[in-house]
Amino acid sequence: MTVRLFPESVSCYRRSNFLLNRAHSRWLVFFLLAGLCVFSVNLSRAGEVELKNGTIIQGELAPILGLTDALAAKLQGKGPEDPDPKAPITMIDNGIIRYFVPSRLMVRFNNDQELSRLETFLLKQQTRSRNHMLKEVGSFSDVTDFDKYGRRTVTLKTSKGALALLQGVTEITPSYLKVIGLKQQWELGLRTTSVKEEILAAMLKNAIDPLNPNERISVARFYIQAGLYIPAAQAFADIERDFPEYKEKIAAYVKDLRSLHSQQLLDELQQRRKAGQHRLAQVAITKFPTKNVSQAILRQIREIEEDYLSRNDQVEKALFRLGELEAEMKDQKKKNLLQAYRREIINQLDIESIDRLSAFLNLEGDDSLSVQEKLAMAYSGWILGSAHVVTDLDTALNFWTARAQVLEYLRNEDKQQSDFLIEDLEKLEGVSTQVVKQMIPLLPPILDAPVRKNDEVFSIQVTDEGAEVPVSYSVLLPIEYNPHHSYPMIVALRPSHMSAKSELNWWGKYKNGPGQSQRRGYIVIAPEYLQKGQEAYYDNETAHYAVIQSLRDVRKRFNVDSDRVFLAGHGTGGDAAFDIGMSHPGLFAGVIPITGKTSAFNLHYWENAKHLSWYIVGGELDRDTLEHNSLVVNRMMRHGYDVIYAEYKGRGYENYYEEIHNLFDWMELQQRLKYPKEIEEKILRPMDNRFYWARTEKFPAKIIQTKVVNGKKRIQARPSHFNVSIKVGNVIYVKSGGKINTLWLSPELVDYEKRLMVRIDGKRKFNDFLRPDMKAMLDDFRNRGDRQKLFDVRLDFF
């Protein structure tokens, strides 16, 4: 991801330690005095930072000691607990957002970076009586559009009713608009692209002399720098119409604009293709502009077009050749089976699934192979993938039988019948635990998905017969959802005052059309994690259960890439994302709390999150959120965890849709840690007991010693430590607070060719060779629905 953020001078970062009196309005308090400086900035320059995960952030760089003045003072000169006491955090200020990142996360930074000159327009605003400073901003009940003078009215919700405030734009840049309160001290920024194009055009027109061609050119250049290429093209066309003598002067700009716009269209085409939206991509190719487009871009378009033509030809060829080869078969019994299996391939073969038959297509013309060998390659490839084809037709047919039995086992609730199915599977010639393991990623869904329109939100009730409480969730699928394509997913937790549908629409809808998740190829689900009437999140077990069960259920119904599942939430949902993410880090690739607050459990659990990536979004005037979160986030940053904290200057309790492009760019860089060999976790609740490939149960009473004070849980016990590590020599050491411990293992973790030793709390509990266990693997897959993390051995210790 490249976060295109341009610098503005970093003034003294202000933060008051004063805690709000909750007897006043929860959302809005006026203070007469400005806040206190957190620290002195010794180094503050234009620059660029690249993080270990590939994220690039541009702005003014400033090393800092802590996220707040209190923490900065506490850390000054103190270092035994701090791995890097010298400026452990770097702040990057781009004018509207302060990004905080761990200094240890940076792999490259460049101070004094030369940034190209940006077109900037100033608007004059009349201010009066600005003696009051806005200290806290809550949700808006109404926001008007800016007029041509750059003024608008925002209406805030307060305990005393609606409060209307007048704002004005003082500066317009390609990346942001600087906005001030016209009657209060309130400064904030808005992304330029968040303003309607016609409103932006009206403000720009009012800021220049329309009869001055050079100022008109500045506006057109501004549009290019803002990435608004269509308005830029129109602006240049209008200049050429009104000032024909400037045609040659603007020719170079127009040429650059065409190149940039065609590259933007190509990037969008590539994105749709990556998201599995092949029909849209192929239509876009036919409409791609070719006039005055560079040869490099045209060459890439031709390559994409040729690849689609080739894949479509392969689909037709595969279907034709399978029919031809089948007709040559002499064995009528096998021929009947192949006819039935070919019907499935005919119904499901497309651009996404054709790769399963690539080995067959590469060798179907090889005269040294018999008809049966060629058919074996095709039908085994369909079940296991082209990397695992066989040339024995009987074995290939056994794979189809095995797949049917595996699906029956996974869907069956009768234990006795399940045992018979496992026995039958193990008797099939050529079908081993390894073969079934190769089969699972390409299996059809374990559970049926309800009939729905792909572009609309629909609800699903979890059907697990062993469910402790009823669980439901809502789903929004991407455009052209295809069960043969593996999709990343967002688990989105709604704020208490909004519906699940609204939360899904934030991620996936835009002006009644497809939004970012639908365009970029993400499944989004919204579990109903709050109980009826619940307005605040209190670390309740029901919420954890609802999220985990929803995640497991959706993985059984849709093709989810479990290595790229992200937990996110707004407001109350952000509170829950902090808690659930740190309690179950092995489930997610990253966590995105937006206007969320950490909990008492996070004060203990933050170390559990060392393998998780975090992108936290909030507003400077959102309650005491940064002050509150800094207790946890500061520790994470000082220890070099993968954390980005984006704080919008002068903004309050909002949904921050402006950050959505950066969030998706960031998610593209993240992958879940699948098989860590060192697990060091803390446990304060019995439900927080499985981490990656290890679980502990039956805790001492102290684990559940919590009490409720004023509706909030207070922890009355120290956490239990759960440490598991795999050492040289094929030895697993377990230190556990539970009396029952379970390990799920795979060749990615330990060596099956060597004897494995397991020591629990200093005592040897296992010393033997491991044998893959088909039943253990299928039971775990049936429980979790995780196609990307499969374990073929389970060891239980009591």
Side-chain angles (χ1 to χ4, degrees), residues 322 326 334-347 379 382-383 396-404:
L322 286 175
E326 182 186 296
K334 290 180 181 178
K335 190 173 184 177
N336 291 339
L337 286 173
L338 292 175
Q339 286 176 344
Y341 298 156
R342 186 161 65 92
R343 281 194 292 272
E344 175 182 318
I345 294 178
I346 290 172
N347 291 331
Y379 286 95
W382 185 257
I383 298 294
L397 294 175
N398 281 346
F399 292 166
W400 284 74
T401 303
R403 187 185 68 162

Side-chain angles (χ1 to χ4, degrees), residues 762-781:
K763 298 179 181 179
R764 189 171 69 179
K765 296 288 186 177
F766 183 86
N767 187 24
D768 204 347
F769 290 91
L770 298 179
R771 291 182 56 194
D773 184 339
M774 189 182 299
K775 184 179 188 305
M777 181 178 67
L778 289 176
D779 285 346
D780 186 56
F781 176 61

Side-chain angles (χ1 to χ4, degrees), residues 696-700 720-722 735-739 741 761:
T696 185
E697 303 173 80
K698 202 172 181 182
F699 300 97
S720 175
H721 291 262
F722 184 41
K735 183 180 180 181
S736 168
K739 293 183 179 180
N741 297 282
D761 296 328

Side-chain angles (χ1 to χ4, degrees), residues 369-381:
L369 295 173
S370 68
V371 169
Q372 292 202 15
E373 287 174 326
K374 293 175 183 178
L375 289 171
M377 295 178 67
Y379 286 95
S380 62

